[in-house]
Amino acid sequence: LHELGTTALPVVLLLTGLIGLTLALLMGQQLAQYGASVHLATLMGVSFVREVGPLLTAVILAGRSGSAITAELASMKVQEEVDALRTMGARDATFLIAPRVIALVVATPFLSLFASACGIAAGLVVAVFRLDLAPTTYFQVLFDALQAKDIFYTFLKSAVFATIIAFLACRIGLSTRGGSDAVGRATTRTVVAGIFWTVIADCIFALVLYL
């Protein structure tokens, strides 16, 4: 849980903060032209809590934690450590897969929540120093726009994304054949497949929730 989740928090906060700052600058500039600067809080809150936070966190974890899982398991497979565990009576699903899947599923929703908060905070910086909005106004509009179900959808989507990434990483890692070069190829496959299927899952969520 620490290796796959907690240590990923700094890079998640850094990237979501920078992306949030960029989006806030772009949206704030457009909203200011129509005298609707106050709605920056609505756009930042809804977009980050519903979409950007969970999806960006999942993409980062696919490239970081997913690849780490695959590299570790693929190395164990190539060096015949997995066969040794089976000889000792250890089951793959219990000893190798379950701890990693559970850890990622538990950590990802909270990482997404922190990522969303960081993006919203970046929007606050732009609103205060660029658009001359009061922090109280920003938060009042933000709380009016967000609902409890938005937080629930964040946790639900993040858990699904984490499950996809973890299972893909474990499956690809344990099915690796060959030498050390196969570990690199397996890691690359995990990153590509993890991001691809995460985006597909996000599109399915969007169709189900917003249509």
Side-chain angles (χ1 to χ4, degrees):
L1 183 61
H2 172 72
E3 291 296 330
L4 299 180
T6 306
T7 55
L9 184 60
V11 66
V12 169
L13 293 181
L14 176 63
L15 293 180
T16 51
L18 293 175
I19 291 177
L21 187 65
T22 303
L23 291 176
L25 287 170
L26 292 174
M27 292 189 293
Q29 184 180 20
Q30 299 302 315
L31 291 172
Q33 295 179 0
Y34 300 97
S37 301
V38 70
H39 291 295
L40 177 64
T42 302
L43 292 176
M44 293 299 294
V46 172
S47 63
F48 267 84
V49 172
R50 290 186 182 180
E51 291 295 331
V52 180
L55 183 59
L56 187 58
T57 301
V59 170
I60 294 172
L61 291 182
R64 184 192 177 281
S65 301
S67 61
I69 292 173
T70 298
E72 183 179 15
L73 295 180
S75 298
M76 293 176 65
K77 184 68 175 179
V78 169
Q79 296 172 7
E80 299 182 352
E81 294 179 20
V82 176
D83 296 332
L85 288 172
R86 290 171 180 167
T87 302
M88 292 187 293
R91 297 177 57 190
D92 295 352
T94 303
F95 192 76
L96 297 176
I97 299 176
R100 291 165 173 81
V101 173
I102 294 173
L104 205 59
V105 170
V106 170
T108 304
F110 294 99
L111 289 175
S112 298
L113 202 59
F114 281 116
S116 300
C118 190
I120 292 172
L124 174 64
V125 172
V126 174
V128 172
F129 294 101
R130 177 74 175 175
L131 304 178
D132 296 325
L133 291 177
T136 53
T137 303
Y138 183 88
F139 283 112
Q140 182 180 358
V141 175
L142 175 66
F143 292 141
D144 289 339
L146 291 178
Q147 301 177 10
K149 66 178 182 180
D150 295 327
I151 306 297
F152 171 75
Y153 290 149
T154 297
F155 275 79
L156 177 63
K157 292 170 68 172
S158 299
V160 172
F161 296 161
T163 303
I164 292 172
I165 294 169
F167 270 114
L168 281 173
C170 291
R171 180 181 179 276
I172 294 173
L174 291 175
S175 62
T176 303
R177 299 288 187 274
S180 58
D181 58 328
V183 177
R185 291 196 299 269
T187 304
T188 302
R189 284 177 56 201
T190 297
V191 175
V192 174
I195 294 175
F196 176 80
W197 287 110
T198 296
V199 173
I200 293 295
D202 186 64
C203 291
I204 294 174
F205 270 112
L207 292 174
V208 172
L209 297 178
Y210 307 137
L211 281 183

